[in-house]
Amino acid sequence: MTSTLRTVLLTTAGGVAWTVRAVEGPVPDGNSALFAAPVSATVPGEVYSDLLAAGVIPDPFDGDNEGKLHWIGKTSWSYRTDFDWEPDEHAVQEIVAEGLDTAARVVLNGTEIGSTCNQHRSYRFDVTGLLIAGHNELVVEFASPVATANRLREESGMWPHTNLHPYNAIRKMASNFGWDWGIDVATAGIWRPLRIESWTGVRIDAVRPLAGLDRDRGVLDSKVSLAWSPGAEGDATITVEVGGTTTEMTVAAGTEEVSVTSTIDAVDRWWPRGHGEQPLYDVTISVAAGNHADAWRARVGFRTVTMDVAPDKDGGPFVLSVNGKPIYIHGANWIPDDALFTRQTRETYARSIQDAVDANMNLLRVWGGGLYESEDFYDLCDELGVLVWQDFLFACAAYSEEEPLWSEVEAEAREAVTRLSSHASLALWNGNNENIWGYVEWGWREPLGGRSWGEGYYMELLPRIVAELDPRTPYSAGSPFSYDRYIHPNDERNGTMHIWDVWNQVDYSYYRKYKPRFVSEFGFQGPPAWSTLTSVVHDEPLDPYGEQMLVHQKAFEGNLKLEKGLGDHLPIWKTMDDWHWTTQLNQARAIAYGVEHFRSLFPLNTGAIVWQLNDNWPVVSWAAVDGHGVRKPLWHTLKRVYSDRLLSVQPREDGLVVAAHNDTDVAWSTEVTVRRRSTAKGGEVLASETFVLEVGARDGVLNSLPESVAVAGDAAAEYVEVRAAGGGTAYWYFVEDTQLQVVGDAYTAEVAATADGYDVTVTATALAKDLALFPDRLEKDAKVDSCLVTLNAGESHTFHVTNASAPVTPIGKPVLRSANDLIAL
C-alpha cells in the first residue's frame, strides 16, 4: 500500500538551504560578523560542525582549542531557511521536528508555532493555514545551552551534580557539557530530521510491535496509535503483515489505540551472538480509510528476555535470560561515538559496533549521560546479535521531580520506549546511572534538604511506563542497584556493581577482593594510539603534564593516577615513548586481571560490562578503541578475556588453580599441559604436569595445580605456562614485573611484504612478554591484527599489518615493543 500522506523534507538532503547566525552572546571580536552575516548550515546538524565547515572556527578537538571555543555554547543561534510550498488537497499540515537541541523557538512566516526545551524527544506543530503558496520562511532560534541550564538552575534551585555545568537542570545530553573523558562542546541545532507532513483522514502516529514467543510460535502484539483529521468519518482497516501472515481489523473513525495480535507458526527465534542466529522478520502495518492510507515498516525478532534478581543463598543475582536461557554477559559501556554527534552515520555505527563484535562482546550498555541512539544503532545490534542495555538519560546527579521537568521526562520516556520497543536486541531498560548510589553515599542529602532527587522517576514513573508500553522488556531502577531498598545499592553480593575504587584509590590487584554478582561498570585509563595523540597534542617537548596534553586528559588527577596505577607492576617510564607504552600496557593488564577473576567466579558471577568501548574525541581515557577508531592494546586484551573459552591461573587459599570458563553450548574436553619454566635464554622447562580438563557447556571449573609447577624455586626467574590442546593459553608470574628477571634481547623480527600490507614475524629466544606492534608510528592509518602476545623460547608469532606499505628499515622500538623493554636489567 502506498501512503497518501505527503512528506516534504526541510533538510539539506531534501534540497533546502539553511543558514545559521549568532543572535546574542559573547562572540569574539574576530567572529562578530556572525551577528550580521550568517553562514551555511547543515540540517540535520549542529552549530559547531556548521562553523567548522564554514572555516569560522578551528577544529575544537585540536590542541587547546576547546577552551577558546566555549563562547559557542554561551551564544544563542538562529537557523533560517526559505522554501517553496505548493498547496494540496490535504486537511492538515504539520511540521515534524524529530530533534531540536535544545531550548528553541520555532517561527513560521513570522508566527511562533511552538517552543521546546528537550533534546531527547520529537515535536509536532500544527501549521494548517500558516503555510503560504510559494515562498515561506522558517526560523528556529536556539537559546544558549549553557545560559539556559544556568537559568533553569537559578529558577528551580541547585540539585547536586558532577562536573562543571548544571546539566541536570535541562533535558539535554549530559556529556555534551563535558565529562571526565569528554570535551565541553555544548551544541545547539536541528539535530534530527525536520519535515512537513500533509494528510487527511487517518495516519499512523506510533507503533509498538511487541514480538514474543508462545512455544515455537511467534506472537506479534502490534499496538497502533492513530491520528484523525477534523471531521474524518467512516471505518478504517488496520492490516498487519509479518512472516507470511496477514491480520486485519476494522475500527471506527476516531479510534486512537488499536491492538492487533498476529501468530506466526514455527518461527525462528532471535538469539544474542554466541547463542544462535539473528533472524529478523519484515513487518508492515498499514491503515486505510476511504481514499486515504498510511503505512509503517520495520523488522522484528521473536524472543523473550527476563531478568532474575530473586534472592539466593549468596545474596541476590543479576541474570539476563533470552528465550529462557541465561546469558553470561561480555559487555562494554557505550557513549555517543562523536562529541559532535550529528556526524555519526550508519557507517560509523557499523564500524564501532563491529569493534564490539570482534572483541567477543554480546552486550552494549547505552549509558545514561548520552543519547537514545539513532535507528541505525539499534538496527545493527539486531542484525549482529548484540544485546542493548538502555539507560534512561539520567547520570551522576540529583534531578528535580517538579514541573516542568516531570512532564518532559514522561514525554521523552514514552517516546523512547515506543520507538525502541520493536528491537529484538533491546534487553533491559535501566532507570539511571549511579544516582541512587549518589543519593546514599555522595553527600547529596544535606544540600537537598528533603527535596525530591529523582527517586520518583526511577521507582514509580519509569517502571510504570515500561510496564505499560514495553512489558516484554525487563526494567531495572538503576546501575548499580541491589534490588532491595534496604541494601546498599553498590553491594557486591547483590545485583549490579560498579567498581571505581580501583583506578581512583586502590591498585588493580584489589579486584580480587571482590566477589561481585555482576559488574556493570569498571575500568582503567590509558592513552590513545600514538598517531591519534600526536595529531591533536602539539606540546614541545611532548610530556604527560604538557599544557595541551592536559586538555586531552579530563579525569581529575588523571595522569597522576596513571602513574600511581603502575604500583609494583611496572617501572616508572624514562621517556615519552615509554610513558605511552607503559600506560597502555598497564591499562590492558588491569582489565584482564579483573575479567579473568570475575569469570573464575562463575556461576556466582554472571558477567561484566567494561567502561568503555569507544571515545567521542581524541583523549586519554578508559576506552578500548580511541577517538580515531584505533584499537588500543586494551581492545586486544578484551578480545582474549571475552573469548567463549577462557583459561586463567588464579590464587586460592590452598594454592594456584587453573580456572576454565566454557561459555559455549558444547562441553569442553581437552588435555592441558602446565609447565614451570625459566625466564632465561632457552626457557628451560623446570617441571611439567598434564591433566584432562572437563568443562560442561556454559559451565566453569577450577583445577588445582600440584606443587611441582605451582611453587617456584626462584620466583624472580620463573613463570608458569598453561596450554590447552587445540587452543587456550594462560600464564602465571610469581613476582611483579619490577622484580622479574627477563632478557632484553629476547626476540628477533623479520618483515615481509604482503598483498595488502606486510607481516612482522617475531621469534623468541627467551620469554618475550606482551609483544605489541604499533604500525601507526610509521603510517598513521596502518592497522595490526594482534597485540600483547607472549612467546616462550623457540616460539614465533606473525603480526599482520594492513593499510600500509612494508618498511625498508628493521622493525624495533618504538614500533615493536614488549614488557621486556621496560624491565630487562
Side-chain angles (χ1 to χ4, degrees), residues 681-742:
K681 287 280 188 179
E684 179 186 358
V685 176
L686 305 172
S688 180
E689 300 284 350
T690 300
F691 63 88
V692 175
L693 179 71
E694 300 282 357
V695 193
R698 310 291 176 183
D699 202 359
V701 299
L702 302 178
N703 283 73
S704 296
L705 291 181
E707 289 188 4
S708 61
V709 290
V711 177
D714 182 352
E718 299 174 14
Y719 67 103
V720 176
E721 170 209 3
V722 179
R723 192 175 298 273
T729 306
Y731 296 92
W732 174 264
Y733 300 93
F734 299 101
V735 297
E736 296 288 353
D737 276 16
T738 49
Q739 299 173 283
L740 190 64
Q741 297 173 12
V742 297

Side-chain angles (χ1 to χ4, degrees), residues 807-822:
V808 296
T809 57
I811 290 284
K813 293 189 296 185
V815 179
L816 178 61
R817 299 303 306 254
S818 72
N820 298 48
D821 302 341
L822 305 172

Side-chain angles (χ1 to χ4, degrees), residues 243-429:
T245 298
T246 300
T247 309
E248 290 188 352
M249 176 178 289
T250 300
V251 298
T255 303
E256 295 182 346
E257 299 293 332
V258 181
S259 180
V260 182
T261 300
S262 306
T263 301
I264 303 91
D265 292 331
V267 74
D268 292 322
R269 299 182 178 201
W270 184 96
W271 291 95
R273 59 172 307 277
H275 291 264
E277 300 301 315
Q278 294 80 44
L280 296 170
Y281 290 77
D282 292 327
V283 178
T284 299
I285 298 176
S286 55
V287 59
N291 295 323
H292 303 289
D294 193 11
W296 179 95
R297 295 174 178 84
R299 294 179 301 172
V300 298
F302 291 93
R303 90 292 181 272
T304 63
V305 180
T306 58
M307 178 181 72
D308 179 13
V309 295
D312 60 19
K313 64 182 179 60
D314 297 304
F318 177 85
V319 180
L320 290 177
S321 294
V322 177
N323 303 328
K325 181 180 180 181
I327 308 297
Y328 188 89
I329 300 300
H330 316 260
N333 284 269
W334 170 275
I335 64 171
D337 215 20
D338 191 328
L340 303 182
F341 45 86
T342 62
R343 300 192 300 194
Q344 297 174 112
T345 64
R346 184 177 178 87
E347 289 71 28
T348 63
Y349 279 121
R351 180 205 69 203
S352 293
I353 297 172
Q354 194 64 48
D355 284 332
V357 170
D358 290 348
N360 298 310
M361 296 179 186
N362 59 14
L363 181 144
L364 289 173
R365 176 190 171 208
V366 181
W367 168 75
L371 297 167
Y372 303 111
E373 292 287 352
S374 78
E375 287 302 302
D376 289 329
F377 175 88
Y378 303 98
D379 285 344
L380 287 161
C381 289
D382 289 347
E383 294 166 11
L384 294 171
V386 177
L387 296 171
V388 175
W389 164 324
Q390 177 67 58
D391 280 11
F392 286 101
L393 301 184
F394 302 90
C396 302
Y399 290 80
S400 167
E401 297 173 28
E402 307 304 314
E403 294 292 355
L405 205 61
W406 181 279
S407 292
E408 287 294 345
V409 169
E410 180 167 10
E412 78 175 57
R414 286 185 172 277
E415 181 172 329
V417 174
T418 296
R419 177 170 74 91
L420 301 185
S421 63
S422 65
H423 290 284
S425 56
L426 182 63
L428 185 73
W429 288 103

Side-chain angles (χ1 to χ4, degrees), residues 405-489:
L405 205 61
W406 181 279
S407 292
E408 287 294 345
V409 169
E410 180 167 10
E412 78 175 57
R414 286 185 172 277
E415 181 172 329
V417 174
T418 296
R419 177 170 74 91
L420 301 185
S421 63
S422 65
H423 290 284
S425 56
L426 182 63
L428 185 73
W429 288 103
N430 181 61
N432 71 86
N433 176 75
E434 298 189 342
N435 295 349
I436 300 172
W437 184 15
Y439 179 76
V440 170
E441 201 169 77
W442 295 359
W444 291 356
R445 287 180 293 170
E446 182 179 358
L448 282 170
R451 293 177 297 158
S452 64
W453 55 274
E455 182 182 24
Y457 298 133
Y458 319 136
M459 301 297 185
E460 188 268 317
L461 178 64
L462 297 176
R464 172 164 52 82
I465 290 173
V466 172
E468 174 191 347
L469 301 181
D470 188 17
R472 68 174 199 150
T473 304
Y475 172 82
S476 169
S479 181
F481 194 55
S482 293
Y483 302 95
D484 190 308
R485 294 191 188 211
Y486 297 98
I487 300 175
H488 191 287

